[in-house]
Structures are given as C-alpha cells and as structure tokens.
Amino acid sequence: QVQLVESGGGLVQAGGSLRLSCAASGRTFNPYGYTMAWFRQAPGKERECVGVITWSGASLYYADSVKGRFTISRNNAKNTVYLQMNSLKPEDTAVYYCATEWGVPGQSATEYEYWGQGTQVTVSS
C-alpha cells in the first residue's frame, strides 16, 4: 500500500504563486520506479491531469493550460513531489490531487491506483 498526503493549498490572488507538496509513504513504496502526477478537479468538471513526472525526474506531460506557469519536480530522498504554480488564474481554482503508479502511466486518471486526499486551491480575481 502507498499513502499520499498533499499540502500547500490555499487562497491566493490572481497572478500569485503557490507550491503544493505531496509526501508518499508505505511499506511497498519505492520512489525509484513510481511515476507521480498531479491532477485537479473543479466543481462540475472532470478530473484532469496537470503534470506527470517519472521516477528519474523527467517531466512527461503538462496540460496545455498550465505550460510555462506550472513546474512539477520531485525529491526521491524525501519521497516528495512538488507542483510550483506561478501566474495563477481564477480558472486554476480546483481541488488538486497527487497520484502515483508503478511504471510509466500516462495522463489518464484511470491509470493511477494511489491517490491523495486532495488540497483546495482557490484563486481570486
């Protein structure tokens, strides 16, 4: 089993920045092999992938809506993945989730078995 705990969400004005963190733990978790990803879900909308990063730190995917503004990174020594969000817009308001799966899954939520509880990000205009 793998447990994921997100932190760092909150309320920020448009144009501001936030950094989300996701700490992974569990008897079977080994960062060297697990791809990690950030998803978000706004009210009334489907969950969408924001970014994906392999165990080696290679960024596999960014949603077009966040390219150039968001950066995903990870620290395997700390079993933690980060999402640096800059130039935030009201449309970035959502619950942000981190997820992980062994191997190299893509950007579909159905490809990930392990999920955090989510952290709310609210961007005011």
Side-chain angles (χ1 to χ4, degrees), residues 100-123:
T100 190
E101 182 56 73
W102 179 265
V104 191
Q107 60 262 33
S108 172
T110 59
E111 297 179 78
Y112 293 81
E113 180 177 0
Y114 303 105
W115 292 84
Q117 81 288 351
T119 185
Q120 177 70 46
V121 172
T122 304
V123 184

Side-chain angles (χ1 to χ4, degrees), residues 45-107:
K45 295 188 176 181
E46 293 186 356
R47 191 168 297 190
E48 67 166 338
C49 185
V50 174
V52 179
I53 187 167
T54 66
W55 69 267
S56 65
S59 300
L60 289 179
Y61 172 82
Y62 283 106
D64 287 342
S65 58
V66 307
K67 282 181 182 176
R69 299 188 299 122
F70 290 11
T71 303
I72 189 169
S73 62
R74 65 189 291 169
N75 183 329
N76 287 336
K78 295 184 177 181
N79 289 351
T80 301
V81 64
Y82 305 97
L83 184 68
Q84 178 67 44
M85 305 185 294
N86 299 327
S87 302
L88 282 161
K89 305 175 181 179
E91 50 263 45
D92 294 319
T93 295
V95 177
Y96 283 71
Y97 299 89
C98 70
T100 190
E101 182 56 73
W102 179 265
V104 191
Q107 60 262 33

Side-chain angles (χ1 to χ4, degrees), residues 15-65:
S17 298
L18 281 175
R19 188 176 83 152
L20 306 183
S21 299
C22 173
S25 62
R27 185 173 58 87
T28 60
F29 183 76
N30 182 337
Y32 301 98
Y34 279 87
T35 289
M36 301 192 77
W38 285 98
F39 288 77
R40 67 184 181 185
Q41 188 165 20
K45 295 188 176 181
E46 293 186 356
R47 191 168 297 190
E48 67 166 338
C49 185
V50 174
V52 179
I53 187 167
T54 66
W55 69 267
S56 65
S59 300
L60 289 179
Y61 172 82
Y62 283 106
D64 287 342
S65 58

